[in-house]
Amino acid sequence: SARDSATPPTRFGKYLLDRRIAVGGSSQVYLARPAVGSAPAPRLVIKRLLPAVRSDPQSVGTFALEARLHRAARHPNVVEVYEAGSVDGEPYLAMEYVDGIDASRLMRRAQADAAPIPYEVAVYLAREICAALGCVHCAVDDTGRPLAVVHRDVTPSNVYLSEAGDVKLGDFGIARMLSRTSISTDTTALKGKFSYLSPEQVAGEDFDHRADLFSLAVMLSELLINQALFPGAGQLAVLLAIRDCRIHNLRDHAASFPAELRQVLERALERDPSRRYGTAHEFARALEPFENRPRSALRQQLGALVAHARSSLLLGRSDRPGSSAPKLPSRSPISVLSVEDPTQLISVRDRDGRTLGPMPFARVVELIATSRLQPEDEVDLAGDGRYVAVALVPDLERHVPSSTATTNRLQGPGIPDHVADLSRTNMLHVLALLVLRRETGVLFAEREADRFIRKEIYVAQARVVHVDSSEPSELFGEFLVRTGLISRADLDRALAALPRFGGRLGDTLINLNIVDAVQIYRAIRDQGRERIRDLFRWKTGRVSFYRDVAPNRLEFPLDLDLGPLMFAGAEELLSDAEAVAAQSLDRDDLLVGVPELPEALRMTAWPPEVLKVVGAAGEGRPEREVVATLTAARLINVPAAQRAIEVACAAGLLHRMRRPAYP
């Protein structure tokens, strides 16, 4: 800022801090110079922890880890750390200063000019980052042991460019070593950068260095098409596009660069990491043919583009053409029949003419979501006695359970394709049937306990895409509070603001900065899993499956494989104590593997535990021996082995042959 630049230099140990140039979530960065002489560089960067986190052991440890990783990854394309020290107990890093801009500024300038970066220059830039990642991923400690580093933040704002054409990867603040025993899944540091996450990072799955290569492929794609690769109406929409690897934007602009280059990027952007390039060197080699000019010329052209973007910044030009200041994103226009005043109490009139309320908007949403209000019931939004049907208010209609549109057909002339009584079978066998038939449709689960409860599980090709529940305790807000992601006060604040964000609780929490988009994304999936897992606890009830029925709306398809859901549910059917007790019995039943698995079973992502018991059984071994072999080799514990056997037998991966009892 102008105020920072006018401030006299501040002495910090053996350095002079000229001005602050950036502030992050836990640190601040200063442009600095040596107080005496010019070593280690005439100009450099000092990175310091913010005062608020200096007493936090985790933040201090992360800072020290960043220094360690920088020291282990010395390369011309990696920002150099000259030293790590402390001044009066305050840790700092003295780092290389790249006199230029970051790649995000270059990309914004290109978008403002409507002039994409020439594809040869974009490829040159990407290959320089590949060189950096090749060093990072192969870094070793002082004893030569591989550190297995994943940068985790390969984004344009962490790629520094100079007017000389230098390309340097920096900021190891959230990098991790896969060899560490404790791996944090916190995404706070990625807030605002989630559009460069890999699908496996978004989903909270295990990931390795190939996630960095995916992020680089996203960045290169955006350099080529001069816009976001994964656009969306909101943050959750972007995360869904990443999860499903929807790269339409890349294909739509295929005419502006060689078709073979698009094919390279499509491989680098595969959903399955095993189908991507295995190393940064391999990715760089695939890109090499598209650097069809001397590297010195490409470096010079990149430097000229950096100088142009930088001069625009220094002159105060906006990144938006025809605009003197950046504009805040606007919210979608509100429907005429929206709840415009979040504090307005709403009266409800049901189909029998009874009036309820007035009540807050959030309470009306709860009644609709749990099927206690129907689309034909009416609401008075303004308190003026004018009632309209719930179905005519988009902010309310969106909460109507998915089955409502098809209820008449299903419960009237509709005949279920499959029915099961949960007092005689369990959900393990019900879900196994959906897997074996690769079903698409809806499974209704209903029971009468203290009150009537109904759940709806929608599947597409035996993958769960949506789960509804009439149980109030299973509302999304209650789930977030129960799992500790938000507090009750947070939920109350979000519910009060719900109408401002179209009645979407997830979007409301994100916009109020209570949680970030990745946390909401994962919570929605976790809630779907929990709703299904709860069904394994049902000892009574009825399930009915209707083929080829889809939800009437699907804003967030879950895309959950039934195999892991069956294994998780088996924990409800067989406790640890019951599993150990079963193993202590004389379990001589023969477990026999299926000679040739049906395609439906091969397409299912079975948990490792299930695959282990199937492999151990082979062509036929006693159950007791299968469990003993796996547990002796410490490949699995007894409870997990017993549950895996139950899942494998229910799904038809194994056949259990009862041994006859001889006198």
Side-chain angles (χ1 to χ4, degrees), residues 459-575:
V459 294
Q461 292 295 298
R463 297 185 70 84
V464 176
V465 296
H466 185 66
V467 186
D468 268 334
S469 173
S470 67
E471 174 59 48
S473 65
E474 291 191 337
L475 290 171
F476 188 50
E478 296 299 322
F479 173 80
L480 295 176
V481 172
R482 187 166 61 253
T483 55
L485 193 58
I486 65 174
S487 67
R488 178 64 61 181
D490 290 333
L491 177 59
D492 292 342
R493 182 156 65 98
L495 291 176
L498 210 55
R500 291 165 44 199
F501 303 99
R504 300 179 180 92
L505 181 58
D507 288 340
T508 303
L509 290 165
I510 293 167
N511 281 280
L512 294 179
N513 291 319
I514 295 174
V515 291
D516 66 43
V518 178
Q519 290 172 312
I520 289 294
Y521 169 93
R522 293 178 183 173
I524 292 173
R525 296 192 74 197
D526 291 345
Q527 183 199 32
R529 293 187 183 102
E530 184 181 276
R531 284 177 167 180
I532 294 174
R533 179 167 174 156
D534 176 66
L535 288 172
F536 283 78
R537 304 183 187 109
W538 288 20
K539 303 303 181 185
T540 61
R542 170 189 169 98
V543 293
S544 308
F545 182 75
Y546 297 83
R547 191 169 288 126
D548 298 327
V549 176
N552 61 353
R553 78 174 60 81
L554 190 58
E555 295 181 353
F556 193 103
L558 295 173
D559 194 34
L560 300 175
D561 197 293
L562 283 172
L565 292 173
M566 291 170 63
F567 184 72
E571 292 185 357
E572 304 299 332
L573 300 176
L574 191 67
S575 69

Side-chain angles (χ1 to χ4, degrees), residues 6-200:
T7 302
T10 302
R11 185 69 180 249
F12 183 75
K14 57 185 178 182
Y15 300 103
L16 293 175
L17 308 182
D18 287 327
R19 60 187 174 93
R20 190 172 66 181
I21 57 178
V23 180
S26 61
S27 61
Q28 50 192 337
V29 177
Y30 292 83
L31 182 62
R33 52 194 162 94
V36 178
S38 59
R43 301 176 78 191
L44 65 153
V45 163
I46 296 294
K47 185 172 184 178
R48 306 167 62 185
L49 283 175
L50 289 171
V53 301
R54 288 175 195 163
S55 59
D56 176 23
Q58 182 175 350
S59 297
V60 174
T62 299
F63 202 69
L65 177 63
E66 180 179 0
R68 179 185 175 191
L69 294 180
H70 267 290
R71 286 196 300 270
R74 295 190 179 276
H75 189 276
N77 293 113
V78 176
V79 171
E80 184 177 357
V81 169
Y82 300 125
E83 70 171 353
S86 64
V87 173
D88 296 330
E90 178 188 344
Y92 73 89
L93 299 179
M95 309 171 71
E96 177 183 9
Y97 172 61
V98 180
D99 192 8
I101 59 175
D102 61 38
S104 65
R105 171 62 62 176
L106 178 70
M107 294 165 71
R108 291 200 299 271
R109 185 70 259 156
Q111 291 168 12
D113 293 342
I117 307 296
Y119 78 82
E120 305 98 324
V121 177
V123 169
Y124 167 79
L125 190 157
R127 293 191 73 230
E128 292 289 278
I129 303 173
C130 278
L133 289 175
C135 172
V136 170
H137 295 160
C138 296
V140 297
D141 63 15
D142 295 337
T143 66
R145 185 184 63 171
L147 292 173
V149 179
V150 182
H151 187 281
R152 293 211 304 165
D153 203 5
V154 180
T155 59
S157 61
N158 286 334
V159 173
Y160 303 102
L161 312 171
S162 77
E163 293 187 22
D166 297 312
V167 180
K168 293 180 181 283
L169 177 66
D171 201 342
F172 286 68
I174 64 168
R176 80 174 199 197
M177 294 181 292
L178 294 183
S179 57
R180 296 173 69 194
T181 56
S182 177
I183 298 175
S184 172
T185 57
D186 178 56
T187 60
T188 304
L190 292 172
K191 196 169 186 179
K193 302 181 182 181
F194 55 83
S195 54
Y196 297 94
L197 293 174
S198 67
E200 58 270 29

Side-chain angles (χ1 to χ4, degrees), residues 264-342:
V264 169
L265 284 169
E266 286 187 355
R267 178 177 172 185
L269 294 167
E270 284 279 1
R271 170 65 181 89
D272 182 356
S274 67
R275 297 172 65 89
R276 299 176 202 153
Y277 295 101
T279 66
H281 177 70
E282 188 181 351
F283 189 16
R285 192 168 59 243
L287 292 171
E288 186 175 8
F290 308 103
E291 279 189 0
N292 50 19
R293 287 193 285 133
R295 302 205 89 211
S296 58
L298 295 172
R299 176 184 172 91
Q300 184 177 8
Q301 188 173 3
L302 175 60
L305 291 170
V306 169
H308 167 66
R310 193 180 188 193
S311 64
S312 302
L313 173 64
L314 294 174
L315 291 172
R317 289 171 55 188
S318 168
D319 285 332
R320 295 177 181 269
S323 170
S324 59
K327 297 178 182 178
L328 294 174
S330 60
R331 192 160 53 89
S332 301
I334 300 177
S335 163
V336 175
L337 295 176
S338 288
V339 183
E340 299 185 15
D341 181 3

